[in-house]
Amino acid sequence: MKHIIIGTAGHIDHGKTTLIHALTGRNTDRLKEEQKRGITIELGFTWFDLKDHTRCGIIDVPGHEKFINNMVAGVVGMDLVLMVVAADEGIMPQTKEHLDILGLLGIEKTILVLNKCDTVDEEWLSMMEEDVKEELKGTIMEGAPVAKVSAMTGEGIEELKELILKMVKDDVQEKDVNSIPRLPVDRVFSMPGFGTVVTGTLLSGSISKNDTLEVFPLGKECKIRNIQVHETNQDRCEAGQRVALNISNIHKDELHRGCVIAPVGSMENSRLMDVKLTVLKDSKRNIKNRDRLHLFTGTSEILCRAILLDKDELEPGDTGLAELLLEEELATKRGDRFIVRFYSPLETIGGGVVLEPNPRKKKRFNEAAIEELLKKESGSLADVCELNIRAEAEDLITLKDLAKNMSHSAEELKPYLDELKESGIIFEFPKNKDIFYWHRDNAFIVSQEITRDLKKFYEKYPYRMGLKKAEIHSSYMKKVKMNVFEECIGKLVSENLIEVRNEYVCLPGYEVNKDETYLSIEKLLTDTFETTGYAFLRFSEIDKKKYSDEVVMDVLRVMMDEGKAVKVGIELEMYTMKHFMDVAEAKVREHFKTNEIITISEVREMFETSRKCAKPIIEYMDVIKVTKKVGAETERVAY
C-alpha cells in the first residue's frame, strides 16, 4: 500500500491553510498565535482520503519568510507538493524562495494550485495562469499540472483531488519499508498520563510497538510505548506515514527538532559532512571558502562552515564539492538533501546533497579526494561500499560498522558486498559475531610493503628465513584483531604474494643463500654438536671462532627450520643435532614397553650424560608428547 505525504508551499496569505481545510475539513493552525494572526508559524498536520481509499497525510508549512526553517522541516519526506498561488496576486518573492528550496531538496512532483479564483474574473484568471506558467519556466514546476480552485467556496476542490489521485497512481513510488527505520523529529511535546511524544515523517523502514530505538545525536535509547498514525493507535507504522511516537526513557526537554530516531547503533554522529554544494542561480551572494552558513537538513538547523574542496569561490549557479564543518553533532545519510542560508542576513543561497555523512578530513584541491567524492556522487551503493572499505587503510571494516557509517541496514548492503566479493574487489572474512571486509587495493599495498621490507631484511640478514608473523602484525596491521590478521595473511599466501614457514613470513619460493660463509658456520655447528653428543651446549658455550653471535644464531635457526638441529630444555636452552633426539625418542619408547615410569636418573644413565643434560631430554619428550608428568618433577609416564 502506498503511503502519501502531501505538502503545501507558497507565499503568506495565499490560502494554504484554507485549502487544506477545504480538502480535509480540519484546521491545521493549532497555536493561539497562529489563529490570532491568521498565519501559519509551526507545521500543521492532517489527512484526507481519496476516492480509492488512499489516505494522504498533508502538511501545512509556513509561508512567512521568518519561518523558513519550519518550511524546510516540513518538506522532509514529501511525495507531492501543492504550490499555492493566489489568483489575485500571482507569483510573490516568498513563492520563488519556496520553489528554490523545493528544487534543492529534490522535490519532483508538484501541482500548481491557483487559489482564490472566486475573487477574479475569467479574463484575469486566464492572464494570471499564463503569467505564472511563464515565471515557472526553468524551475521544477515548469509544465506542472494546474488546478483552479477557491478554497473558500469549495470550487474546484474535487477536481484537485482527482488530479492528486492521478499523480499518486502514476508517479509516486512505493517507499522502502525494508531498510532501517529513520524518523527525523519535527515536533516534541508531552501529554499528561503518556509522557513524551515526538512526531515526524517516517522516511524509511518500519517501527513497531515496544521496539527499542536510539535518538541521535543524543545517543540515548528509548522504547516505543505507543504509535499513532492519523490519530489512530497502531501496532506498526511504515515509511511514508506521518507518525506520532509515545516514547519512554527520555524527557521532553532532552529532545528537540532535528533529532533522528533510528535503530540502536545504526547511524553515527559527525561534525563533518562531504557534500555537493550548489549556489542558486538567482542568488545575490557567492559562497567563499570558510563562509559561515545556516544548514538545514532533515528537520535540523545548525551552523556550519563551508570548506570548498575544488574551487576558491562558488558564484550564483555554480556547483562544487565541499566539506561542511558542523558546530554541533548531526546524524545524516548519504543522499540526504540540505539547504544553506546566509549567516546574516538570513536568505536562502543554495543547497545540495550529502555524499559522505562520516568522512575523514580532506585537504583542499587534493585530486584523490575529489575523485573519490565524484565517484560517491555518481556511483551505486556498491561503489560507495567499496570506497568506504578502501578508506580503512590501516584496518578492516565490519559489516556492522559499514552499515552504521552509511546509515543502511546490513541486509540492504549484503547483496552489494557479495557482488564486490564475487568480482574480487573485496575480500570477506566471516567471524562469529560479524563479517570483516578488506579491499584488494589495501591488501596489495600491505603485500608490497611486506615485500619491500623483506628484501631489505634479506640484505641485512642473509641467513634468516623472514620476519615473524608477530612483527608483520605490529608493523603493518597493528589495528587488526589477531584472528582476523591470520585470515589476511592466509589470503596473501593464497594469492602467492607471500609465503609462511614455521611462523616466519618470507617471499614466495625464498631460499637462504648458502654461500661459503653459511656453509662454514653450518659445518662448525655440526662438528661441535656431533662431538658433544648428549652433552648439550648452551649457545653461549659454543666456540664460534671468528663469527659473530648474530650470524651464528641465524645459521642455527635455519638448521632448526630444516630439521637438522633442535633446541632442547625449558629453563636451560641447549642445542644438538636432530638425529640424536630421534635416537633418544626411540630408546624412551622402547623403555615404556617394559616400564610404566621413567625417571631423570634413568635418562641420565641411558645416555651417559649429566643430570643438567638429562632434564632437557625428558622435557623435549614432553614437548613431542612421548612422555607426560604425573606427579613428581623427576618422573614421567608414557603419553
Side-chain angles (χ1 to χ4, degrees):
M1 177 182 176
K2 286 184 177 179
H3 303 296
I4 307 302
I5 301 293
I6 298 174
T8 61
H11 194 71
I12 182 175
D13 204 30
H14 275 208
K16 296 186 297 298
T17 302
T18 308
L19 175 65
I20 291 176
H21 187 273
L23 287 167
T24 68
R26 301 177 189 86
N27 185 10
T28 55
D29 279 346
R30 56 188 175 81
L31 301 178
K32 289 182 179 179
E33 186 181 357
E34 291 177 328
Q35 295 170 5
K36 180 181 178 182
R37 294 171 62 184
I39 65 171
T40 299
I41 298 171
E42 275 284 5
L43 299 170
F45 311 103
T46 186
W47 73 92
F48 66 98
D49 292 332
L50 299 173
K51 67 180 183 181
D52 70 342
H53 305 297
T54 296
R55 178 156 286 185
C56 299
I58 190 162
I59 304 175
D60 186 12
V61 300
H64 197 284
E65 188 277 333
K66 291 182 179 178
F67 310 118
I68 284 290
N69 57 332
N70 290 344
M71 184 267 170
V72 174
V75 173
V76 175
M78 284 185 184
D79 300 295
L80 173 65
V81 171
L82 307 180
M83 176 59 75
V84 183
V85 177
D88 59 346
E89 288 190 328
I91 297 286
M92 299 292 283
Q94 205 60 55
T95 311
K96 291 181 178 179
E97 184 169 20
H98 281 204
L99 273 172
D100 289 337
I101 290 170
L102 294 175
L104 290 167
L105 292 178
I107 299 297
E108 297 177 350
K109 311 303 178 189
T110 58
I111 296 174
L112 170 62
V113 181
L114 284 176
N115 192 22
K116 302 186 180 182
C117 290
D118 59 314
T119 64
V120 298
D121 58 31
E122 285 295 327
E123 184 179 351
W124 178 273
L125 182 60
S126 178
M127 181 189 69
M128 182 60 70
E129 182 179 354
E130 290 303 314
D131 287 348
V132 170
K133 285 182 176 180
E134 185 65 30
E135 289 198 59
L136 292 178
K137 284 184 178 179
T139 73
I140 62 165
M141 291 197 67
E142 183 175 356
V146 181
K148 301 171 187 176
V149 307
S150 169
M152 190 64 69
T153 67
E155 176 189 348
I157 295 299
E158 290 305 315
E159 289 79 3
L160 174 57
K161 287 185 177 180
E162 288 290 335
L163 185 53
I164 291 171
L165 178 59
K166 182 179 184 301
M167 293 193 74
V168 164
K169 280 185 174 180
D170 298 342
D171 298 331
V172 177
Q173 295 181 347
E174 294 275 1
K175 297 292 193 303
D176 184 2
V177 299
N178 297 315
S179 60
I180 65 168
R182 191 162 63 118
L183 182 86
V185 174
D186 52 38
R187 283 176 59 202
V188 182
F189 55 93
S190 182
M191 291 186 65
F194 291 91
T196 304
V197 177
V198 299
T199 69
T201 300
L202 189 56
L203 300 183
S204 58
S206 63
I207 295 175
S208 297
K209 195 173 178 179
N210 296 319
D211 280 353
T212 297
L213 302 174
E214 184 174 349
V215 179
F216 298 88
L218 301 184
K220 297 188 72 171
E221 293 184 14
C222 66
K223 189 171 184 179
I224 308 303
R225 298 171 62 182
N226 192 37
I227 298 171
Q228 277 198 356
V229 178
H230 305 310
E231 299 182 5
T232 302
N233 291 334
Q234 304 283 349
D235 290 330
R236 184 173 181 268
C237 56
E238 293 183 340
Q241 292 182 316
R242 283 294 309 171
V243 177
L245 302 178
N246 177 207
I247 62 176
S248 62
N249 305 334
I250 299 182
H251 192 270
K252 176 181 77 74
D253 293 340
E254 298 178 81
L255 294 161
H256 54 82
R257 175 182 290 170
C259 289
V260 177
I261 295 179
V264 176
S266 64
M267 301 182 75
E268 189 168 351
N269 296 335
S270 177
R271 285 182 175 265
L272 194 65
M273 289 195 315
D274 287 343
V275 301
K276 181 176 77 170
L277 180 60
T278 298
V279 179
L280 291 170
K281 63 181 180 179
D282 296 327
S283 174
K284 298 176 183 177
R285 301 181 183 277
N286 299 347
I287 296 181
K288 300 181 179 66
N289 185 51
R290 296 196 65 82
D291 267 355
R292 199 177 189 211
L293 305 170
H294 285 266
L295 170 72
F296 299 85
T297 182
T299 58
S300 300
E301 176 191 358
I302 62 175
L303 290 168
C304 69
R305 287 196 183 275
I307 307 300
L308 303 183
L309 297 176
D310 58 350
K311 295 179 180 178
D312 285 315
E313 187 173 357
L314 293 179
E315 297 180 349
D318 281 352
T319 295
L321 300 173
E323 277 194 335
L324 301 184
L325 304 182
L326 312 178
E327 295 187 15
E328 300 173 39
E329 286 194 332
L330 195 61
T332 57
K333 183 176 179 177
R334 174 182 176 256
D336 281 356
R337 299 278 184 156
F338 65 88
I339 297 294
V340 289
R341 306 193 81 205
F342 199 67
Y343 179 65
S344 181
L346 271 175
E347 59 185 66
T348 303
I349 55 174
V353 62
V354 176
L355 301 179
E356 174 56 64
N358 300 289
R360 291 174 170 80
K361 200 166 185 179
K362 296 174 176 61
K363 291 183 179 180
R364 300 184 67 214
F365 302 105
N366 181 281
E367 290 185 9
I370 291 170
E371 183 181 349
E372 177 186 330
L373 287 181
L374 290 174
K375 188 172 181 180
K376 285 184 178 180
E377 177 192 354
S378 60
S380 67
L381 204 53
D383 293 328
V384 181
C385 284
E386 180 196 346
L387 288 167
N388 275 275
I389 294 169
R390 188 168 62 185
E392 296 294 332
E394 298 180 356
D395 198 357
L396 278 67
I397 192 169
T398 65
L399 176 57
K400 181 180 178 182
D401 286 341
L402 182 63
K404 182 178 179 180
N405 288 351
M406 295 178 61
S407 300
H408 283 271
S409 67
E411 291 74 18
E412 283 179 285
L413 298 184
K414 197 63 172 70
Y416 299 98
L417 293 166
D418 289 342
E419 175 188 324
L420 292 170
K421 183 184 72 171
E422 290 301 318
S423 61
I425 294 173
I426 63 171
F427 305 134
E428 178 185 274
F429 305 123
K431 292 298 175 185
N432 291 336
K433 295 182 179 180
D434 215 332
I435 302 174
F436 290 78
Y437 292 101
W438 198 21
H439 198 284
R440 69 179 177 191
D441 290 357
N442 294 344
F444 179 75
I445 290 169
V446 168
S447 70
Q448 289 294 93
E449 290 176 344
I450 294 173
T451 298
R452 178 198 64 215
D453 288 352
L454 276 172
K455 289 177 179 178
K456 292 180 181 178
F457 180 83
Y458 292 143
E459 289 177 5
K460 188 174 182 180
Y461 306 106
Y463 308 138
R464 294 187 185 181
M465 184 59 67
L467 293 164
K468 288 186 177 180
K469 277 201 286 188
E471 293 179 64
I472 297 292
H473 181 257
S474 61
S475 298
Y476 310 100
M477 304 182 73
K478 61 184 177 182
K479 293 185 178 180
V480 180
K481 293 181 179 179
M482 185 56 75
N483 61 337
V484 181
F485 168 75
E486 291 286 350
E487 297 271 7
C488 294
I489 289 296
K491 185 63 182 177
L492 296 181
V493 170
S494 71
E495 298 283 322
N496 199 37
L497 296 171
I498 59 170
E499 193 172 323
V500 175
R501 298 184 208 164
N502 299 326
E503 293 302 307
Y504 289 101
V505 174
C506 59
L507 294 177
Y510 176 76
E511 296 294 339
V512 170
N513 178 27
K514 296 184 178 180
D515 57 11
E516 185 177 339
T517 300
Y518 177 94
L519 294 174
S520 176
I521 295 173
E522 183 181 42
K523 185 177 185 307
L524 168 67
L525 292 170
T526 301
D527 290 347
T528 299
F529 295 151
E530 291 289 352
T531 300
T532 56
Y534 291 104
F536 307 136
L537 296 175
R538 299 172 69 180
F539 184 75
S540 60
E541 296 170 338
I542 298 171
D543 183 1
K544 304 172 187 70
K545 306 298 183 183
K546 61 181 180 180
Y547 302 110
S548 69
D549 285 2
E550 185 177 71
V551 173
V552 173
M553 177 53 78
D554 288 347
V555 174
L556 180 53
R557 285 197 188 100
V558 176
M559 292 175 65
M560 290 191 289
D561 289 338
E562 292 177 345
K564 295 177 180 178
V566 292
K567 179 169 65 177
V568 296
I570 296 174
E571 294 179 7
L572 294 177
E573 292 185 352
M574 310 176 89
Y575 299 88
T576 188
M577 299 303 291
K578 175 69 162 52
H579 69 83
F580 284 120
M581 300 312 295
D582 292 340
V583 171
E585 178 185 351
K587 285 188 176 183
V588 171
R589 291 188 184 278
E590 184 67 26
H591 173 86
F592 281 126
K593 289 181 179 180
T594 55
N595 299 275
E596 291 186 1
I597 294 175
I598 189 170
T599 66
I600 290 179
S601 295
E602 289 173 320
V603 170
R604 178 174 57 80
E605 292 174 4
M606 187 182 296
F607 297 103
E608 299 179 352
T609 187
S610 65
R611 183 179 179 84
K612 184 180 81 170
C613 295
K615 187 177 181 183
I617 293 175
I618 207 70
E619 288 173 345
Y620 180 84
M621 297 302 152
D622 291 343
V623 171
I624 64 173
K625 297 185 177 179
V626 174
T627 60
K628 63 181 178 180
K629 187 165 56 174
V630 289
E633 179 65 33
T634 59
E635 296 179 345
R636 299 291 192 276
V637 296
Y639 188 85

